[in-house]
């Protein structure tokens, strides 16, 4: 069931592959979730714990996904069945389901960034940003943004790995890095920047329990690093050259962290300099879509340019992540013999439909789907991936890694983590934290 006569596509260069993987990781999660979660729960402790998780869990899981992908040269849906046997086939399809589910609401949020960018360019963002956000985020406007964003995503995926995904990453990622650095420097010049940094990296544990900080850190790590749903496995399946996959995973994870951390250095000084801190607690998205433009409005029309730069950056981040979400779905169908064009258009259109309820109804639905798919299912996917690699495919995965990763000690360390540390840690987090939190958000959604 491979692609038959046609050669499997490939990345054009190592840099192209790394930028595409960084593009998948750096997304709305970095801008929208990281600093907010930090300020709300644990500040500097959250950041420290997050880094520990990235090193001990994130990088080894990413290395495993890379190894399996490159080894299999197939979509996860087919690869897991071939390598692990029939019992592992559902995991591959769970990945496809996650790509489908996450993109359906991710694209709705990304659609808002298009609207914000256009309105900032036209100097048309009203002073009452809360009302504006209400109008943009639900109803027909949100549906239009969602459609537009999906159309661009589908267009890039249609073009294929080299001409579509890789080219998009090579163009957009450097621009994103420049924008984020420029904005962070600008933010540091604001009068109350120090207070903002203080709130972001506070040392106040308040009444937050250790378990909930752990929860947030693990959930954030999986979502932000695009782990647990085969996205990076898929990207590595288009890789044939034998580079050091442990090193690539470290580069991707650290760049992702760098961007998330820097985003906080932009958002918090703005919030504190314009005295709008009280608006931030309203919701996860409140900080970015309501407080930030409200603060920048006080600068007059120059503020609009900052808003524009910020939302364009967000748009690039979202787009390079969305294409990886769609690619997971598309590649599974391509490996079943479907043409890329048909697969991209078909899957894309189904996702457009699936996202409409998130665009039309209130934010509770979007938040609940994010909790179920973007948190619970990703961690479950990560746990199962670790079990599969650590307990069933270790010799093959290790041999694959050995092709570019010559240090035996590094490979031994990776094997110990993936086999003995990661499965129990993820299991405990799932049972004690994620499942109860998911249940709570389902109850909130249905008002019970
Ligand atoms: N990593 C992306 C973000 O931080 O926004 C979201 C994401 C993309 C999650 C791709 C999972 C994935 F497979």
């Amino acid at each position: 069931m491979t692609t038959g006569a046609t050669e499997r596509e490939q990345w054009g260069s190592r840099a192209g592959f790394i930028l595409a993987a960084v593009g998948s990781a750096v997304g709305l999660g970095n801008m929208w979730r990281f600093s907010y979660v930090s300020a709300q729960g644990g500040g500097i402790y959250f950041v420290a714990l997050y880094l520990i998780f990235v090193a001990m869990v994130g990088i080894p899981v990413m290395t495993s996904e890379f190894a399996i992908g490159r080894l299999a040269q197939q979509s996860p849906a087919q690869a897991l069945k071939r390598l692990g046997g029939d019992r592992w086939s559902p995991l591959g399809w769970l990945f496809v389901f996650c790509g489908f589910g996450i993109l359906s609401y991710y694209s709705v949020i990304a659609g808002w960034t298009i609207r914000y960018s256009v309105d900032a360019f036209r100097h048309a963002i009203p002073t009452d940003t809360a009302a504006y956000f209400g109008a943009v985020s639900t109803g027909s406007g949100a549906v239009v943004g969602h459609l537009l964003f999906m159309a661009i995503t589908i267009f890039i995926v249609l073009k294929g790995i080299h001409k579509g995904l890789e080219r998009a990453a090579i163009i957009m990622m450097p621009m994103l890095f420049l924008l984020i650095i420029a904005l962070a420097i600008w933010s540091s010049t604001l009068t109350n920047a120090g207070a903002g940094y203080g709130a972001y990296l506070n040392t106040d544990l308040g009444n937050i329990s250790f378990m909930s900080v752990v929860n947030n850190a693990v959930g954030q790590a999986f979502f932000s690093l695009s782990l647990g749903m085969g996205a990076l496995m898929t990207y590595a399946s288009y890789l044939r050259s034998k580079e050091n996959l442990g090193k690539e995973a470290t580069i991707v994870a650290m760049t992702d962290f760098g961007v998330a951390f820097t985003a906080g250095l932009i958002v918090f000084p703005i919030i504190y300099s314009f005295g709008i801190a009280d608006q931030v607690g309203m919701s996860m998205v409140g900080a970015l879509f309501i407080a930030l433009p409200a603060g920048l409005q006080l600068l007059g029309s120059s503020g609009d340019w900052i808003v524009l730069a910020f939302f364009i950056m967000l748009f690039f981040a979202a787009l390079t992540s969305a294409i990886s979400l769609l690619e997971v779905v598309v590649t599974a169908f391509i490996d079943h013999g479907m043409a890329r064009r048909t697969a991209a258009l078909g899957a894309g259109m189904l996702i457009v439909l699936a996202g409409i309820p998130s665009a039309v109804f209130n934010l509770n639905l979007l938040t609940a789907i994010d909790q179920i798919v973007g948190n619970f299912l990703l961690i479950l996917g990560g746990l199962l991936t670790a079990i599969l690699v650590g307990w069933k495919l270790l010799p093959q995965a290790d041999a694959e890694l050995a092709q570019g990763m010559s240090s035996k000690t590094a490979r031994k360390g990776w094997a110990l983590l993936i086999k003995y540390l990661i499965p129990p840690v993820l299991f405990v987090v799932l049972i004690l934290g994620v499942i109860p939190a998911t249940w709570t958000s389902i109850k909130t959604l249905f008002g019970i």
Side-chain angles (χ1 to χ4, degrees):
M1 291 247 207
T2 50
T3 42
T6 44
E7 260 297 285
R8 187 171 178 76
E9 295 176 81
Q10 262 190 76
W11 300 104
S13 66
R14 171 176 179 242
F17 164 69
I18 294 180
L19 276 179
V22 169
S24 168
V26 170
L28 292 171
N30 297 60
M31 317 290 174
W32 150 61
R33 257 169 136 189
F34 183 82
S35 51
Y36 176 86
V37 175
S38 159
Q40 297 291 307
I44 192 95
Y45 302 110
F46 166 81
V47 175
L49 207 66
Y50 179 79
L51 264 180
I52 295 174
F53 271 112
V54 169
M56 309 283 282
V57 179
I59 294 176
V61 171
M62 196 186 292
T63 306
S64 309
E65 287 205 18
F66 280 166
I68 298 299
R70 190 177 66 183
L71 170 71
Q73 299 284 309
Q74 262 179 327
S75 78
Q78 277 74 23
L80 297 190
K81 180 175 168 156
R82 182 166 61 85
L83 298 171
D86 280 349
R87 268 200 294 160
W88 288 93
S89 174
L91 181 61
W93 290 103
L94 178 73
F95 292 168
V96 173
F97 177 79
C98 286
F100 191 95
I102 295 180
L103 188 51
S104 74
Y105 69 87
Y106 200 83
S107 157
V108 172
I109 305 178
W112 306 340
T113 68
I114 301 183
R115 176 72 186 272
Y116 271 69
S117 305
V118 171
D119 285 349
F121 183 72
R122 295 170 46 230
H123 299 292
I125 296 189
T127 354
D128 185 353
T129 52
Y132 172 67
F133 175 67
V136 169
S137 63
T138 47
S140 56
V143 175
V144 172
H146 165 58
L147 275 174
L148 204 61
F149 183 80
M150 278 306 298
I152 303 171
T153 308
I154 295 170
F155 177 76
I156 296 173
V157 171
L158 265 182
K159 296 253 166 218
I161 296 301
H162 184 47
K163 292 212 179 99
L165 282 71
E166 182 167 357
R167 200 171 278 174
I170 288 178
I171 296 172
M172 283 188 275
M173 292 317 286
M175 292 212 264
L176 184 149
F177 295 141
L178 282 180
L179 279 172
I180 200 166
I181 291 170
L183 285 167
I185 295 174
W186 173 82
S187 244
S188 72
T189 63
L190 292 171
T191 38
N192 255 337
Y197 297 144
Y200 173 24
L201 301 171
N202 65 70
T203 49
D204 176 19
L205 268 178
N207 47 14
I208 305 264
S209 71
F210 176 70
M211 195 58 213
S212 67
V213 182
V214 169
N215 246 340
N216 287 340
V218 176
Q220 178 61 22
F222 270 80
F223 188 84
S224 187
L225 296 173
S226 301
L227 296 177
M229 53 154 284
L232 297 177
M233 199 183 278
T234 302
Y235 274 18
S237 75
Y238 296 111
L239 200 61
R240 227 170 285 157
S241 48
K242 301 296 179 197
E243 54 260 303
N244 183 341
L245 295 175
K247 188 168 144 203
E248 316 298 52
T250 311
I251 296 175
V252 174
M254 285 302 136
T255 313
D256 182 71
F257 170 74
V259 172
F261 188 76
T262 313
L265 298 181
I266 298 173
V267 175
F268 279 83
I270 298 179
I271 289 171
Y272 279 80
S273 294
F274 297 108
I276 44 177
D278 54 324
Q279 295 185 27
V280 176
M282 301 189 287
S283 75
M284 194 80 123
V285 287
L288 291 190
F289 290 93
I290 300 174
L292 193 113
L296 294 173
Q297 290 262 310
L298 302 174
L299 291 176
S301 73
S302 61
D304 278 335
W305 296 115
I306 306 277
V307 173
L308 180 64
F310 190 84
F311 283 99
I312 286 187
M313 177 187 79
L314 225 54
F315 170 74
F316 286 161
L319 187 57
T320 47
S321 297
I323 56 184
S324 72
L325 290 161
L326 183 57
E327 183 63 26
V328 173
V329 182
V330 165
T331 192
F333 291 104
I334 295 180
D335 280 1
H336 260 93
M338 206 182 264
R340 175 172 281 277
R341 210 184 156 73
T342 323
L345 282 171
M349 279 193 275
L350 286 176
I351 293 170
V352 166
L353 290 180
I356 288 179
S358 293
V360 174
F361 299 120
N362 62 14
L363 286 179
N364 283 349
L365 177 65
L366 195 150
T367 316
I369 307 179
D370 178 47
Q371 174 64 35
I372 298 167
V373 188
N375 201 3
F376 170 62
L377 288 183
L378 290 191
I379 298 179
L380 180 68
L383 169 65
L384 295 172
T385 305
I387 294 175
L388 174 65
V389 175
W391 292 88
K392 201 166 166 110
L393 302 176
L394 202 53
Q396 288 112 298
D398 182 63
E400 183 62 37
L401 283 182
Q403 311 240 14
M405 195 170 162
S406 50
S407 160
K408 269 202 179 126
T409 330
R411 287 196 333 263
K412 187 102 201 139
W414 162 80
L416 286 175
L417 291 173
I418 205 77
K419 188 165 183 174
Y420 296 111
L421 179 95
I422 297 172
V425 166
L426 293 182
F427 183 74
V428 170
V429 170
L430 214 51
I431 298 292
L432 295 185
V434 179
I435 292 180
T438 308
W439 182 231
T440 310
S441 74
I442 294 176
K443 283 200 299 199
T444 315
L445 179 63
F446 291 106
I448 37 175

